[in-house]
Amino acid sequence: MAGVLKTAHRAAAQVARWRGAPAVHPTGVLCSGTLHVTGRADRPWGEPWLDRHASYPVTVRWSHALGTPRRLPDALGLAVRVEDAGGPDRPLDLLFTSSGTGRLGRHLPLPRPDALTGAYSTLLAYRTGECERVLAAFPLLDPPHTPRPTLWQELACRPVRFRLCAAAAGEPWRPFASLALEAVHPAPAETTVSYDPVAHSLPGLRPAGRLNRLRDAAYAGSRHGRGAA
């Protein structure tokens, strides 16, 4: 496994160095907004942050996964940084990718021409309390929805809202928060926010499993390749 992690780190570093941008999700927009955690006193998740009602400012990067030419299909990414989730200067990073929502589909990236026609999931599981669950973000649309050509245009029209949910295998999706994206900010690829779901996690809400270790190595290589680490 150590050799595979080194290879992933090295490959991601080379791609990021060549692009002068993240190896994956190289192009996108940076958004500010608010995340509202609903809290669950009746059915606690086992992590204080999930079980307590609160609101937090967020910095979100909405991006194309591979940066393919515009005419080619690409998956979309939704990287969410929840400021001060673990206390002052202790953010929580959650990384979502356009996907299906079924038992298998939630683990597979799904190319999508319209950013708001389907769900985004973490693809890999998070440890929530004593259980492993996949997290997902479901767009909340005011009908009729008119697809926009770019992510910039989606946010220029109105705030974009999502319902955040979690589910283990065999469980229905359970909501735990709502997310509202309210403004777009300039974000050159070479200086964009670096998200790290492992370093920026909570004791009871953190990536689980070996595949998450592989993704962490690739992201660390990407940051190293573009001089962000």
Side-chain angles (χ1 to χ4, degrees):
M1 185 66 177
V4 174
L5 297 180
K6 289 181 180 179
T7 299
H9 184 283
R10 188 181 306 113
Q14 290 175 345
V15 173
R17 192 175 298 114
W18 171 69
R19 278 182 159 171
V24 291
H25 302 283
T27 59
V29 296
L30 203 65
C31 319
S32 59
T34 306
L35 186 139
H36 300 280
V37 180
T38 54
R40 292 301 299 261
D42 55 337
R43 295 176 61 192
W45 295 96
E47 158 56 44
W49 183 78
L50 289 170
D51 294 332
R52 180 176 60 247
H53 178 76
S55 296
Y56 304 86
V58 295
T59 303
V60 174
R61 190 165 187 266
W62 206 359
S63 60
H64 294 275
L66 299 178
T68 58
R70 184 171 296 180
R71 293 183 179 181
L72 298 178
D74 199 352
L76 300 175
L78 194 70
V80 181
R81 171 160 295 174
V82 186
E83 306 292 350
D84 301 327
D89 299 320
R90 293 180 57 195
L92 169 67
D93 287 353
L94 301 173
L95 306 184
F96 302 91
T97 302
S98 55
S99 70
T101 58
R103 185 173 179 179
L104 295 178
R106 68 187 65 177
H107 297 289
L108 301 174
L110 181 66
R112 185 171 293 146
D114 177 12
L116 297 178
T117 54
Y120 295 71
S121 87
T122 54
L123 302 183
L124 304 177
Y126 272 67
R127 172 68 62 174
T128 57
E130 297 182 354
C131 185
E132 291 187 4
R133 294 182 172 94
V134 173
L135 312 183
F138 294 85
L140 299 176
L141 304 177
D142 295 324
H145 169 60
T146 302
R148 310 287 176 182
T150 69
L151 302 178
W152 289 91
Q153 291 176 346
E154 291 284 5
L155 283 162
C157 294
R158 68 211 181 288
V160 175
R161 305 182 188 280
F162 295 86
R163 178 180 292 114
L164 270 56
C165 301
E171 285 185 346
W173 291 104
R174 291 171 53 193
F176 66 86
S178 61
L179 171 66
L181 307 184
E182 297 151 359
V184 179
H185 307 280
E190 64 274 10
T191 60
T192 193
V193 176
S194 293
Y195 292 84
D196 189 331
V198 175
H200 298 154
S201 60
L202 302 176
L205 184 62
R206 58 188 307 111
R210 290 187 176 185
L211 287 178
N212 269 304
R213 292 173 58 195
L214 181 63
R215 181 173 67 175
D216 185 44
Y219 273 61
S222 176
R223 292 191 298 273
H224 178 76
R226 63 189 181 91

